[in-house]
Amino acid sequence: MKITIISVGKIKEKFYTDAIKEYAKRLSKFCKFTEEEIPDERADESFSPSEIEQVKIKEGARILSKIPKGSYVVALDVRGVLLSSEELAKKISRLAVEGTSEITFIIGGSNGLSDEVLSSADFKLSFSKMTFPHQLFKVILIEQIYRAFKINAGESYHK
């Protein structure tokens, strides 16, 4: 299986990039992992709602252009479905059994995802009603993907 994470914005902090590299290395035992970083649009706090919507549309177009054809798309959205680690593992396993060979997870920018990206997703996933820094969330997501593969392999990481 191939797992791709598409995220808006560049991670600059070394401790985040080191964590992502570590989990990517661990994941390589279970799947092919790739990531795509989409440049974020400038969005001042003074922007109007319509200007923010334009930012999301521009970022969304870049995201959509990077989604691999035929991939099962999971958009990370606060209004999505909350799953436990075990439920995420079951979802990934079920998709594999059904013949899905690639899953793409999408992390939006600080203003969220455009309606077009959300409507094109096969599944909307929420980790919490809380807001997380995007850089930290990418680490959390890749760790949970790794945890899901460990659960599915019956290995002892998940405790």
Side-chain angles (χ1 to χ4, degrees):
M1 177 170 281
K2 182 176 179 191
I3 301 290
T4 300
I5 296 176
I6 299 173
S7 59
V8 175
K10 182 147 181 75
I11 295 183
K12 299 170 186 95
E13 294 85 355
K14 185 177 180 334
F15 55 92
Y16 288 135
T17 58
D18 287 348
I20 291 166
K21 285 178 189 171
E22 176 61 27
Y23 283 113
K25 183 175 87 176
R26 292 181 188 190
L27 262 176
S28 68
K29 176 181 173 186
F30 301 103
C31 67
K32 180 175 182 200
F33 173 74
T34 60
E35 58 179 313
E36 289 275 351
E37 290 183 337
I38 305 298
D40 54 348
E41 288 287 316
R42 185 182 73 78
D44 294 339
E45 289 187 22
S46 63
F47 274 23
S48 70
S50 64
E51 289 171 314
I52 294 295
E53 192 58 36
Q54 288 305 307
V55 165
K56 289 171 29 175
I57 289 169
K58 287 177 185 174
E59 290 173 347
R62 286 192 210 115
I63 290 168
L64 292 169
S65 74
K66 296 292 184 180
I67 296 172
K69 197 172 202 88
S71 184
Y72 184 89
V73 177
V74 178
L76 282 295
D77 183 63
V78 72
R79 297 162 302 210
V81 177
L82 288 166
L83 297 178
S84 68
S85 297
E86 294 87 351
E87 290 168 330
L88 179 61
K90 284 179 188 171
K91 182 155 191 68
I92 290 172
S93 177
R94 187 171 50 254
L95 287 168
V97 167
E98 292 170 355
T100 300
S101 61
E102 185 163 4
I103 303 172
T104 300
F105 292 86
I106 301 174
I107 303 171
S110 59
N111 295 298
L113 292 167
S114 69
D115 290 340
E116 189 175 9
V117 171
L118 289 171
S119 66
S120 71
D122 296 296
F123 187 74
K124 293 171 198 71
L125 175 64
S126 175
F127 274 34
S128 172
K129 291 183 179 182
M130 295 181 193
T131 302
F132 298 101
H134 287 75
Q135 301 88 339
L136 177 60
F137 187 76
K138 190 172 185 180
V139 175
I140 294 169
L141 173 60
I142 191 172
E143 187 279 335
Q144 285 297 302
I145 295 168
Y146 172 67
R147 183 179 297 270
F149 277 100
K150 292 289 276 187
I151 290 168
N152 288 338
E155 296 183 15
S156 64
Y157 177 78
H158 180 67
K159 291 258 178 209

